[in-house]
Amino acid sequence: MDLVLISFSHILVAPVACPRPATNCLQETFNRVFEHLGCLGCQSGCRTGYIMTANPKYHVTEGDLLGFYDYQNITIPNTRNVSEPEWLCLPGNTCPWGFFASKIDVTDACSYCGEGCRSCQSYDNCDHCVMGYKLTRTKLPNGREASLCISSGVECPNTPDNCQHKTYVSQIVGCQGCMFCEDGYLPTYNPSITCCSSSSSSSSSSSSRQVVVVVIVVVVVVVVVVVVVVDK
Ligand SMILES: *[C@@H]1O[C@H](CO)[C@@H](O)[C@H](O)[C@H]1NC(C)=O
Ligand SMILES: *[C@@H]1O[C@H](CO)[C@@H](O)[C@H](O)[C@H]1NC(C)=O
């Protein structure tokens, strides 16, 4: 009887919330920290208007990958970042660059193409790479053919802020900067490399430009009408 109570009390231990939970999940079931897995995020799908998308930052690929760390007494391998949910819900219904449409069980999802890949049909089968990477056909240890994006290995000296990908020197065009910025930022030519600037400031300047254009058009139309009327 005691044992049953103990196991019940164990189940009733409050689930540990993710340090940075995913947003817009259909359910919160997996949006918490799991032993050995970290934060799974929106693994069972997204609210309408959002698409379930793999988060490559969930996998840690640099540094000491062998050990484990504790997050609120939950053991997590160094290869997983508990602050990065495995599945995110991104606005829209199509996959962003670097991802391909797939299914997780019955849910539409966007899976990751692999580092440096711009577009692909499946993982490790890249069609186009980001600048600074080169498309390379290779045979994986399991014998499968793969098309990977291999970086030049030389990182650009001025790393643009808010860039979604690493920037490497391209052998042909040198350092071109950022092709794809984080949400809310747009690539901007500045003047030697492309960096990311806040899209809210540039969209407000483009909307004020639109207002100026509309005013000019209205003035021209009024002048033409007046001239035509006066002529008669
Ligand atoms: C972790 O476990 C230790 C020892 O069992 C306990 O004292 C501590 O309060 C726990 N911390 C959390 C955040 O649960
Ligand atoms: C884990 O993710 C957080 C938030 O993005 C980041 O600040 C941190 O550097 C990451 N840690 C590792 C080991 O990658």
Side-chain angles (χ1 to χ4, degrees), residues 3-4 16 19-20 31 33 40 83 86-88 133 138 142 148 150 155 164-166 182 189 218 223:
L3 272 177
V4 172
V16 171
R20 296 171 71 212
N31 207 5
V33 181
L40 297 182
S83 299
E86 184 176 15
W87 292 98
L88 303 173
Y133 289 83
T138 176
N142 63 12
L148 306 180
I150 308 292
E155 283 205 60
Q164 279 191 24
H165 55 87
K166 288 191 183 162
E182 303 279 1
Y189 200 64
V218 166
V223 165

Side-chain angles (χ1 to χ4, degrees), residues 20 57 60 62 78 81-84:
R20 296 171 71 212
K57 291 181 184 164
V60 178
E62 285 168 0
N78 285 352
N81 188 338
V82 72
S83 299
E84 296 283 353

Side-chain angles (χ1 to χ4, degrees), residues 97-98 112-119 126-135 148-151 164-166 168 179-180:
W97 76 273
Y112 186 48
C113 286
E115 194 194 329
C117 180
R118 211 146 54 111
S119 63
C126 190
D127 295 328
H128 300 283
C129 303
V130 169
M131 271 182 290
Y133 289 83
K134 201 170 158 210
L135 195 60
L148 306 180
C149 295
I150 308 292
S151 83
Q164 279 191 24
H165 55 87
K166 288 191 183 162
Y168 286 100
M179 288 178 84
F180 299 101

